[in-house]
């Protein structure tokens, strides 16, 4: 057994590079799994112009990275770049080309321009303030993942508007739906999709009462239009914990829950995330 591993490490340090789902589509979250023949001290990567820090859990030669492809990315072949730093200081480089396939997002042609209510000066001030608040929340840094196991639907409900729907007017793109809307009567408990840290919990002009959870390494879930907030910024939450109640706050026409998934600025399909098989992670730093 040892001889086989030694022979393999001499040939190919990146023994196996795989990903889930097997076919990656535009707007999909994905999990990369890198099996090394020798154990590196760190494994960094680049995907879609973003940095990835891989982590190992349990078996030290298997490394993972949770990422995705933005809803507006073009279907094409993209490189996954890997840099493994070995205990002796050598850096081993590897590139794998991965095909990103198109997604069948709905396009809705608008016959009249989308109704746009011009916000007044007070609202504009609030919108500008919100922009800064969101920017600060999105720049939150955690070196390691806080999620563990699969992400879960925040409430038992059905989709009222799908992710990625494009609205066009006069042949021009008017908007893209960067989340999923769920049917939700006001007052329905909204649950954290996974473990993480609350990086924003307050009322915003468009989003209404909004909660943003960083699940680690800027992989975040967003929950909007809540009638009540049950968490505060900086709080650690666990999967299934109630973070608030659904509602119709912000710029909406009726009560529903808008959920979004954001990885380093890329917006990903939440429904794809719920069905993604993810490993249960052991608590980081020296648990084994
Ligand atoms: Zn929505």
């Amino acid at each position: 057994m040892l001889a086989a591993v030694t022979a393999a490490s001499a040939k190919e340090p990146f023994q196996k590079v795989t990903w889930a789902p097997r076919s990656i589509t535009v707007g999909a979250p994905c999990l990369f799994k890198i099996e090394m023949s020798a154990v590196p001290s760190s494994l960094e990567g680049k995907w879609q112009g973003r940095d990835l820090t891989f982590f190992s859990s349990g078996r030290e030669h298997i490394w993972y990275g949770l990422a995705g492809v933005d809803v507006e990315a073009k279907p094409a072949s993209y490189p996954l770049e890997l840099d493994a730093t070995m205990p002796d200081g050598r850096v081993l480089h590897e590139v794998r080309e991965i095909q990103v396939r198109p997604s069948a997002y709905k396009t809705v042609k608008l016959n009249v321009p989308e109704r746009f209510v011009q916000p007044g000066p007070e609202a504009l001030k609030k919108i500008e303030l919100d922009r800064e608040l969101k920017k600060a929340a999105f720049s939150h840094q955690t070196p390691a993942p806080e999620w563990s196991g699969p992400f879960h639907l925040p409430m038992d409900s059905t989709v009222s508007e799908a992710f990625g729907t494009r609205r066009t007017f006069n042949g021009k793109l008017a908007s893209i739906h960067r989340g999923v809307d769920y049917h939700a009567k006001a007052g329905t408990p909204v649950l954290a999709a996974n473990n993480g840290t609350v990086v924003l919990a307050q009322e915003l002009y468009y989003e209404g009462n909004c909660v943003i959870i960083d699940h680690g390494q800027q992989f975040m879930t967003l929950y909007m239009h809540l009638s009540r907030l049950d968490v505060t910024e900086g709080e650690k939450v666990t999967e299934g914990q109630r973070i608030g109640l659904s509602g119709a706050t912000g710029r909406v026409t009726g009560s529903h829950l808008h959920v979004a998934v954001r990885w380093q600025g890329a917006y990903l399909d939440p429904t794809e995330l719920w069905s993604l098989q993810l490993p249960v992670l052991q608590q980081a730093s020296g648990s084994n």
Side-chain angles (χ1 to χ4, degrees), residues 9-112:
S9 65
K11 273 189 270 163
E12 178 53 90
F14 298 87
Q15 234 168 14
K16 215 169 160 194
V17 178
T18 54
W19 48 88
R22 291 281 288 279
S23 173
I24 299 178
T25 54
V26 169
C30 60
L31 180 78
F32 295 115
K33 184 180 179 186
I34 320 296
E35 295 179 51
M36 305 291 296
S37 55
V39 178
S41 22
S42 69
L43 180 56
E44 306 283 327
K46 231 176 179 33
W47 169 248
Q48 301 279 308
R50 295 166 171 89
D51 294 326
L52 259 175
T53 300
F54 290 84
F55 47 89
S56 72
S57 178
R59 288 171 296 171
E60 56 184 2
H61 66 287
I62 298 180
W63 293 66
Y64 297 100
L66 182 60
V69 180
D70 184 62
V71 64
E72 289 188 77
K74 299 259 182 295
S77 175
Y78 292 96
L80 170 66
E81 291 182 51
L82 301 168
D83 281 302
T85 304
M86 306 311 287
D88 63 6
R90 274 181 310 147
V91 177
L92 308 173
H93 187 69
E94 175 79 4
V95 182
R96 295 290 167 103
E97 285 293 325
I98 299 173
Q99 194 66 39
V100 172
R101 300 183 191 285
S103 280
Y105 293 132
K106 210 168 58 174
T107 297
V108 180
K109 275 186 192 163
L110 301 172
N111 297 316
V112 288

Side-chain angles (χ1 to χ4, degrees), residues 12-228:
E12 178 53 90
F14 298 87
Q15 234 168 14
K16 215 169 160 194
V17 178
T18 54
W19 48 88
R22 291 281 288 279
S23 173
I24 299 178
T25 54
V26 169
C30 60
L31 180 78
F32 295 115
K33 184 180 179 186
I34 320 296
E35 295 179 51
M36 305 291 296
S37 55
V39 178
S41 22
S42 69
L43 180 56
E44 306 283 327
K46 231 176 179 33
W47 169 248
Q48 301 279 308
R50 295 166 171 89
D51 294 326
L52 259 175
T53 300
F54 290 84
F55 47 89
S56 72
S57 178
R59 288 171 296 171
E60 56 184 2
H61 66 287
I62 298 180
W63 293 66
Y64 297 100
L66 182 60
V69 180
D70 184 62
V71 64
E72 289 188 77
K74 299 259 182 295
S77 175
Y78 292 96
L80 170 66
E81 291 182 51
L82 301 168
D83 281 302
T85 304
M86 306 311 287
D88 63 6
R90 274 181 310 147
V91 177
L92 308 173
H93 187 69
E94 175 79 4
V95 182
R96 295 290 167 103
E97 285 293 325
I98 299 173
Q99 194 66 39
V100 172
R101 300 183 191 285
S103 280
Y105 293 132
K106 210 168 58 174
T107 297
V108 180
K109 275 186 192 163
L110 301 172
N111 297 316
V112 288
E114 274 186 305
R115 203 168 71 92
F116 180 72
V117 181
Q118 185 61 49
E122 279 303 304
L124 285 172
K125 238 189 262 173
K126 172 71 179 138
I127 291 163
E128 185 52 38
L129 182 70
D130 290 354
R131 209 192 317 273
E132 292 304 313
L133 291 170
K134 284 184 279 185
K135 205 173 132 188
F138 290 144
S139 66
H140 185 256
Q141 301 276 351
T142 46
E146 293 183 3
W147 59 267
S148 178
F151 283 68
H152 291 100
L153 190 62
M155 64 166 59
D156 186 14
S157 181
T158 52
V159 172
S160 62
E161 192 179 338
F163 175 81
T165 302
R166 284 151 162 84
R167 292 171 180 275
T168 61
F169 178 69
N170 281 342
K172 267 195 189 158
L173 187 65
S175 68
I176 295 178
H177 196 221
R178 290 182 171 80
V180 168
D181 290 345
Y182 287 100
H183 294 284
K185 267 190 272 179
T188 311
V190 177
L191 314 177
N194 211 320
N195 309 339
T197 303
V198 176
V199 292
L200 187 141
Q202 51 182 298
E203 185 162 20
L204 307 174
Y205 182 79
Y206 289 111
E207 297 85 348
N209 285 317
C210 178
V211 172
I212 303 178
I213 301 173
D214 183 6
H215 301 285
Q217 301 180 317
Q218 296 193 339
F219 197 97
M220 302 184 181
T221 51
L222 295 75
Y223 312 79
M224 299 177 191
H225 316 306
L226 308 181
S227 59
R228 196 179 84 189

